[in-house]
Amino acid sequence: MKDLISGDEAKAQLKLTEDQLHQTEQKVVLKDSVINRMKLKEVNYLTIIDAEKQKFGIVENYSKKLEWELKKEKVKGKFKSILGTGVIAVLTFFLITK
């Protein structure tokens, strides 16, 4: 009789252990799924960051080009102003000396 009871207990314990194993396997599958999603998100974020870095690089280059062109235009403006003042001075000189 004792053997029969202990056999039933062993079967119940085995069933309980199998249920726990199945639950643990389901948890592992779920965790793997979450990990894979997080890895995919990380790859997407890195792609977005690289794209933004490229955009900033392009904008920075364009900004430097515009700054250079602005400096050139300022120098041209000053040169034209000085040249215009010189021409006016020469013309005034000739008008006065006539």
Side-chain angles (χ1 to χ4, degrees):
M1 206 48 175
K2 284 186 177 183
D3 290 337
L4 197 56
I5 293 174
S6 65
D8 287 343
E9 287 176 359
K11 286 180 183 179
Q13 184 67 28
L14 177 63
K15 175 70 174 149
L16 200 72
T17 304
E18 287 174 347
D19 289 344
Q20 286 178 341
L21 178 62
H22 182 71
Q23 288 175 357
T24 303
E25 287 173 346
Q26 287 178 338
K27 287 179 183 178
V28 168
V29 168
L30 181 63
K31 286 182 180 180
D32 286 345
S33 173
V34 169
I35 290 170
N36 287 334
R37 268 190 253 134
M38 296 303 264
K39 285 181 180 179
L40 182 62
K41 283 183 179 182
E42 180 184 13
V43 169
N44 288 340
Y45 289 143
L46 291 174
T47 303
I48 290 169
I49 289 170
D50 286 341
E52 290 299 315
K53 283 181 181 178
Q54 287 177 355
K55 285 180 190 177
F56 285 128
I58 291 169
V59 169
E60 184 179 2
N61 289 339
Y62 186 68
S63 176
K64 286 180 181 179
K65 182 180 174 183
L66 286 176
E67 286 175 3
W68 175 249
E69 289 178 11
L70 179 62
K71 285 180 184 178
K72 285 187 342 185
E73 289 300 319
K74 283 182 178 179
V75 169
K76 283 181 186 178
K78 286 182 182 178
F79 180 74
K80 287 178 183 178
S81 175
I82 292 170
L83 185 62
T85 304
V87 168
I88 291 173
V90 169
L91 289 175
T92 305
F93 175 75
F94 283 129
L95 282 174
I96 293 173
T97 59
K98 266 189 170 182

